[in-house]
Amino acid sequence: MKETTLSSVPDAKSPAGADIRFIMDGATGNMIHSTVPPRQINRATIHATVSEFWYVLEGAGEIWRRDETEERVTALVPGVSVDIPVGTALSIQKRR
């Protein structure tokens, strides 16, 4: 069994420039806390090897996602969750 506490300083930067804090690691997956800078627009990318689940704590923005069958833009506001399955193209824009 493990337990952790969220670090007050980032552990790493994502390729898109978000601050990353590692929360938990395990044999079947990991958990991170990510902070995207205000007004950041990320270039589109495709998750080739990992799936992600996002839950928005604060701020506002949009995420564009496209897979083999669907394309959509979702408002990212507190309380919203989105999934990003393997093979999904995505881009995010943070408004504030």
Side-chain angles (χ1 to χ4, degrees), residues 33-54:
H33 178 279
S34 178
T35 304
V36 178
R39 293 171 291 286
Q40 178 171 312
I41 300 173
N42 293 359
R43 61 185 166 93
T45 188
I46 296 176
H47 279 197
T49 60
V50 298
S51 293
E52 292 184 356
F53 298 101
W54 290 10

Side-chain angles (χ1 to χ4, degrees), residues 25-79:
D25 64 332
T28 59
N30 302 317
M31 183 185 295
I32 66 166
H33 178 279
S34 178
T35 304
V36 178
R39 293 171 291 286
Q40 178 171 312
I41 300 173
N42 293 359
R43 61 185 166 93
T45 188
I46 296 176
H47 279 197
T49 60
V50 298
S51 293
E52 292 184 356
F53 298 101
W54 290 10
Y55 178 76
V56 180
L57 295 171
E58 62 183 58
E62 293 180 332
I63 184 169
W64 164 83
R65 294 173 292 160
R66 183 184 68 215
D67 64 16
E68 297 168 350
T69 61
E70 188 176 4
E71 181 174 357
R72 71 169 63 174
V73 174
T74 302
L76 296 174
V77 294

Side-chain angles (χ1 to χ4, degrees), residues 6-10 21:
L6 186 65
S7 172
S8 61
V9 296
R21 289 169 177 81

